[in-house]
């Protein structure tokens, strides 16, 4: 477990209850396999409030006291900054954020620990199959290769993205490799991605925008739901602040940005989200 990692990156002692690791969700080089365990389903009241927030275009936190819930997908080869920046910044804002691993062992056991694109060990909170049992205000897909490819090849991840009719966000390779391939981005939508995947995205939806953060209404989603896309590690903070604006509002995004000493244009994506929600 993260509290017991030795120099080799291998846990020397791990208390396991019902085949689950006692420490999860850290950014460390621990790799464990876990059995699938049920997670509690959100109450019907929350589902109704989520629907109300989407239809009224009012940030969820303004109509309920329960923190908004965000899910960040995770795979071997996911880009580290693009994965952790949304987790960090959304948690600064007060969101309840979970990392969901798409990896499995022998096609059966969920593997929460992954090796990210630069070899950094990341540990998910839940498997993507467990995450599918919950309700999320936004689902975030990081880029990085082959991480985006692994997410696209995960049947559970694709089904989760397609069945979730609320907000979706993706960065770097993921808009082209995951969202367009899954039909979440459609012809004519405004979206951006890493320059290396711009031609692919253009082929799929007609154009790749030059914006550092692009916002479009979600085709086939709930009323008021958006798709937010961005370009790469260098735009990950702007992307994440846009997610804060999406579920908390632009004032909260500015509040979170202040102590982070971000550059002057870091809230441009947040402003684009606010305009789309207006």
């Amino acid at each position: 477990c993260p509290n017991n990692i030795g120099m080799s990156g291998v846990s020397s002692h791990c208390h396991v209850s019902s085949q689950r690791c006692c420490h999860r969700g850290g950014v460390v080089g621990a790799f464990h396999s876990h059995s699938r365990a049920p997670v509690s389903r959100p109450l019907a009241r929350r589902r109704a409030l989520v629907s109300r927030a989407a239809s009224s275009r009012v940030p969820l936190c303004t109509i309920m006291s329960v923190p908004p819930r965000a899910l960040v997908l995770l795979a071997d080869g996911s880009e580290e900054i693009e994965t952790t920046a949304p987790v960090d910044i959304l948690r600064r804002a007060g969101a309840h954020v979970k990392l969901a691993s798409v990896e499995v062992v022998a096609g059966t056991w969920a593997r929460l620990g992954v090796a990210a694109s630069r070899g950094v060990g990341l540990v998910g909170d839940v498997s993507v199959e467990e995450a599918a049992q919950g309700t999320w205000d936004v689902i975030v897909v990081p880029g990085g290769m082959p991480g985006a490819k692994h997410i696209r090849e995960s049947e559970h991840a694709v089904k989760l993205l397609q069945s979730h009719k609320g907000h979706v966000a993706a960065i770097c390779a993921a808009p082209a490799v995951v969202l367009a391939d899954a039909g979440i981005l459609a012809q004519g939508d405004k979206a951006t991605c890493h320059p290396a995947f711009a031609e692919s995205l253009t082929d799929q939806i007609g154009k790749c925008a030059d914006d550092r953060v692009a916002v479009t209404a979600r085709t086939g989603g709930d009323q008021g739901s958006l798709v937010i896309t961005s370009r790469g590690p260098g735009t990950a903070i702007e992307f994440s602040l846009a997610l804060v604006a999406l579920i908390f509002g632009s004032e909260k995004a500015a509040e979170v940005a202040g102590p982070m000493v971000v550059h002057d244009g870091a809230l441009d994506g947040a402003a684009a989200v606010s305009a789309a929600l207006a």
Side-chain angles (χ1 to χ4, degrees):
C1 286
N3 288 358
N4 298 286
I5 303 299
M7 293 298 292
S8 64
V10 178
S11 174
S12 59
H13 180 66
C14 178
H15 296 286
V16 176
S17 175
S18 299
Q19 297 180 302
R20 297 193 62 80
C21 180
C22 59
H23 301 289
R24 295 182 301 168
V27 186
V28 293
F31 297 87
H32 298 285
S33 297
H34 298 276
S35 62
R36 301 186 182 103
V39 296
S40 59
R41 293 180 179 274
L43 298 174
R45 176 177 175 273
R46 178 178 178 82
R47 293 182 182 273
L49 289 171
V50 169
S51 177
R52 176 184 163 194
S55 62
S56 64
R57 300 190 176 190
V58 174
L60 184 67
C61 64
T62 66
I63 62 172
M64 66 186 301
S65 59
V66 177
R69 290 164 55 85
L71 184 72
V72 180
L73 300 183
L74 178 66
D76 284 334
S78 290
E79 208 287 324
E80 287 87 339
I81 297 173
E82 297 163 4
T83 303
T84 59
V87 176
D88 179 295
I89 292 174
L90 283 167
R91 285 181 178 168
R92 288 172 188 249
H96 178 81
V97 188
K98 291 290 187 181
L99 278 164
S101 171
V102 307
E103 301 297 344
V104 295
V105 177
T108 302
W109 296 81
R111 173 163 61 80
L112 300 184
V114 307
S117 63
R118 301 302 184 272
V120 176
L122 300 176
V123 181
D125 301 289
V126 294
S127 71
V128 70
E129 189 174 4
E130 291 175 278
Q133 300 177 52
T135 297
W136 307 97
D137 301 306
V138 62
I139 298 178
V140 184
V141 189
M145 292 295 279
K149 180 174 177 286
H150 288 177
I151 293 171
R152 182 187 66 194
E153 292 174 347
S154 166
E155 180 181 352
H156 291 298
V158 172
K159 284 184 176 179
L160 172 59
L161 287 164
Q162 292 174 336
S163 63
H164 168 77
K165 299 301 181 181
H167 304 304
V168 174
I171 187 170
C172 192
V177 175
V178 181
L179 298 196
D181 189 75
I184 293 168
L185 283 173
Q187 190 74 22
D189 285 346
K190 182 179 181 181
T192 190
C193 66
H194 191 278
F197 295 87
E199 184 176 350
S200 173
L201 185 62
T202 299
D203 289 343
Q204 294 176 91
I205 69 170
K207 183 180 180 180
C208 177
D210 292 330
D211 306 52
R212 291 172 67 83
V213 178
V215 183
T216 192
R218 181 173 177 184
T219 303
D222 292 336
Q223 182 181 355
S225 62
L226 302 178
V227 179
I228 300 174
T229 52
S230 192
R231 309 198 75 186
T235 65
I237 289 179
E238 296 156 67
F239 173 67
S240 302
L241 289 170
L243 300 181
V244 173
L246 179 68
I247 58 177
F248 286 98
S250 58
E251 290 186 5
K252 189 66 173 182
E255 178 188 322
V256 171
M260 294 177 62
V261 199
V262 297
H263 65 85
D264 291 342
L267 288 168
D268 289 352
V273 167
S274 297
L277 292 172

